[in-house]
Amino acid sequence: MFFSRIAILAALAGYATAQTSTDCDPTKKDCPPDPALGTEYSWNFNTTLDEKIWKMATGTYEYEDDGAKFTLQKEGESTLLQSNFYIFFGVVEAHVKMAKGQGLVSSVVLESDDLDEIDWEWMGYNTSEVQSNFFGKGNDTTFDRGGKHHVANADTEFHNYTTYWDQDILQWWIDGEMVRELPYNDESALFGKNYPQTPCRVQFSLWPAGRKEAPQGTIDWAGGLVEWDTAPFTMTLGKLRVKDFHSGKEYSYGDRSGSWQSIEILEGNSTALNELNKPEPKSLSEKWDDLGEGAHIGVYIGAGVAGALAIAGFLFFCLRQRRKGRLENALGNNPVPLNRAEMENFQKDWRQSEWKLNGGYQQVSN
Ligand SMILES: *[C@@H]1O[C@H](CO)[C@@H](O)[C@H](O)[C@H]1NC(C)=O
Ligand SMILES: *[C@@H]1O[C@H](CO)[C@@H](O)[C@H](O)[C@H]1NC(C)=O
Ligand SMILES: *[C@@H]1O[C@H](CO)[C@@H](O)[C@H](O)[C@H]1NC(C)=O
Ligand SMILES: *[C@@H]1O[C@H](CO)[C@@H](O)[C@H](O)[C@H]1NC(C)=O
Ligand SMILES: *[C@@H]1O[C@H](CO)[C@@H](O)[C@H](O)[C@H]1NC(C)=O
């Protein structure tokens, strides 16, 4: 059964404003262009979030080895991760573990500025099912478009939920099997008019639909009220592959029609592409890991020598300072002694110049 999205949204009011909302609807007025992805890329979400590409709009982002964790600890919380980029047709392959618990909804949503929408939704009360859905231009007057698909242990196992989307066909795939297909001309898409067809961003959310304040219909749809005393509830986003079928810098609406034919593509590298191509500033420990064992030993030996030199240099410096200090004491004009921070800076500068002088790691090899 599918309840009015408007009712659900009204119920969520303050909560999920961004869940299905738009800052600027280009079918109503002029809006800024949408930054494109313009390429294909895979994320593992096992590291800090690149904030040029992703935005944690609500809630907190935490990562572990197997992916991003979106967690609700207590009543009033919800999470929403949004891409800053948009894709204009493409593929979204999300490996997800849903959050278990009645009243909860985990989702992977593609959504455009004029509210075209493509959904995967997991109802927390059923860990053997995922629902598929779509909306065109925010039209939510009927709710007969949803699909239900069996999937085993959706809360404890990652499954591959892939959306394939182009101007002719929209497909939902689970673990390499197509479970649903929507042609552009389908009646349920009003023969194309309500077929999702404008640039979409990618969003992931975990939100409590079963809330005391919600209409009874919404609570029933969500399988009951969230049982907060059994919190925390966690949705995990593992690997994500997103492919934009267009390459370009930005997408903009050429008119108010909201049709794919009206979308204009500004050529050039997208902000996302430039960010993704940027060489990763490696941490020292990563550089260290990149070296082989032989090199490690080489560096230990080198470091031993450098360390000895450093200590010798430092002692010499101290002695000089002390001598200078004594002299200055004698003359009665003792300057402010080097404080601890200055000492540390001195040591750091010294190490760095030494480091550069020796060409960093380069001179050690296997
Ligand atoms: C993240 O996961 C990928 C794939 O499993 C792995 O290659 C990579 O080293 C991991 N990165 C971190 C920072 O753990
Ligand atoms: C919204 O969808 C309904 C049924 O799917 C349709 O009857 C109605 O004309 C649509 N409204 C608009 C504005 O397209
Ligand atoms: C859970 O989903 C499966 C697969 O769609 C369905 O067969 C089953 O009846 C559902 N269980 C509940 C409690 O809704
Ligand atoms: C996930 O499913 C899609 C669609 O079937 C497929 O193209 C892709 O290779 C799958 N990914 C993995 C990691 O198996
Ligand atoms: C655009 O991206 C490509 C790689 O996809 C890169 O080779 C090229 O230098 C970039 N151009 C600019 C102007 O940044």
Side-chain angles (χ1 to χ4, degrees):
M1 192 161 32
F2 295 89
F3 278 87
S4 162
R5 182 152 284 245
I6 287 180
I8 294 167
L9 284 179
L12 285 167
Y15 256 105
T17 40
Q19 223 79 251
T20 36
S21 74
T22 179
D23 293 338
C24 183
D25 183 343
T27 61
K28 303 218 166 71
K29 57 177 177 179
D30 290 343
C31 298
D34 294 331
L37 175 61
T39 187
E40 175 175 5
Y41 197 78
S42 293
W43 290 265
N44 291 305
F45 293 104
N46 55 358
T47 178
T48 50
L49 208 57
D50 184 336
E51 286 176 358
K52 287 227 171 83
I53 295 182
W54 298 102
K55 178 177 156 196
M56 199 65 211
T58 317
T60 51
Y61 170 88
E62 280 166 356
Y63 64 88
E64 286 176 20
D65 287 349
D66 65 343
K69 309 279 166 172
F70 306 121
T71 300
L72 308 187
Q73 305 274 5
K74 56 180 193 297
E75 199 158 357
E77 292 182 340
S78 67
T79 71
L80 174 63
L81 173 68
Q82 288 181 312
S83 65
N84 293 330
F85 62 76
Y86 288 67
I87 61 169
F88 183 29
F89 299 124
V91 177
V92 175
E93 173 185 332
H95 296 251
V96 170
K97 283 193 228 171
M98 66 174 276
K100 180 183 177 176
Q102 69 178 48
L104 299 166
V105 182
S106 307
S107 70
V108 174
V109 172
L110 278 160
E111 188 170 55
S112 78
D113 289 348
D114 70 341
L115 302 177
D116 285 348
E117 186 177 325
I118 304 169
D119 299 343
W120 289 103
E121 282 178 311
W122 296 261
M123 310 303 294
Y125 66 84
N126 193 339
T127 58
S128 315
E129 186 178 90
V130 61
Q131 301 185 1
S132 60
N133 214 341
F134 74 92
F135 295 88
K137 302 182 176 67
N139 184 343
D140 50 14
T141 52
T142 61
F143 281 79
D144 53 2
R145 292 184 285 257
K148 295 184 169 189
H149 317 283
H150 175 260
V151 55
N153 307 318
D155 60 331
T156 54
E157 294 169 3
F158 282 113
H159 291 277
N160 173 354
Y161 304 91
T162 296
T163 309
Y164 175 94
W165 175 49
D166 68 22
Q167 66 265 40
D168 301 317
I169 201 101
L170 171 56
Q171 296 171 337
W172 288 261
W173 295 72
I174 302 175
D175 296 332
E177 204 179 303
M178 193 176 76
V179 296
R180 183 173 180 188
E181 186 169 45
L182 176 80
Y184 176 87
N185 280 321
D186 201 81
E187 196 182 340
S188 69
L190 299 184
F191 310 102
K193 186 175 170 223
N194 276 5
Y195 180 86
Q197 55 195 287
T198 47
C200 285
R201 47 168 119 208
V202 193
Q203 336 195 100
F204 307 87
S205 72
L206 172 58
W207 51 281
R211 298 162 61 237
K212 287 195 292 280
E213 305 79 10
Q216 193 55 44
T218 305
I219 296 172
D220 292 345
W221 171 72
L225 292 170
V226 174
E227 295 170 322
W228 287 106
D229 52 349
T230 62
F233 307 110
T234 300
M235 169 189 179
T236 308
L237 170 62
K239 183 181 140 80
L240 173 75
R241 176 172 68 98
V242 183
K243 178 173 186 167
D244 190 345
F245 281 168
H246 289 89
S247 60
K249 186 175 163 58
E250 287 169 353
Y251 302 127
S252 51
Y253 290 61
D255 59 30
R256 303 269 191 258
S257 69
S259 71
W260 66 265
Q261 294 91 339
S262 74
I263 302 301
E264 291 168 359
I265 300 164
L266 182 69
E267 297 302 325
N269 283 0
S270 70
T271 306
L273 183 68
N274 286 337
E275 177 68 9
L276 294 168
N277 282 340
K278 190 183 72 180
E280 190 111 346
K282 287 197 169 178
S283 72
L284 263 184
S285 74
E286 278 171 328
K287 285 183 191 161
W288 178 250
D289 290 344
D290 286 349
L291 295 169
E293 203 186 327
H296 283 180
I297 292 165
V299 171
Y300 286 135
I301 294 168
V305 174
L309 284 172
I311 291 163
F314 186 62
L315 285 178
F316 177 66
F317 172 83
C318 291
L319 279 173
R320 263 190 54 202
Q321 284 303 106
R322 257 175 59 195
R323 235 181 278 140
K324 228 170 108 195
R326 238 185 268 138
L327 180 62
E328 262 150 354
N329 259 342
L331 295 172
N333 55 353
N334 199 4
V336 184
L338 277 182
N339 63 27
R340 197 181 159 76
E342 282 168 330
M343 278 295 186
E344 275 165 7
N345 277 342
F346 164 75
Q347 283 177 276
K348 206 170 88 205
D349 289 349
W350 190 88
R351 273 198 228 110
Q352 272 167 357
S353 57
E354 188 67 8
W355 187 252
K356 282 194 205 107
L357 225 67
N358 289 338
Y361 286 122
Q362 280 150 25
Q363 98 277 22
V364 280
S365 62
N366 233 332

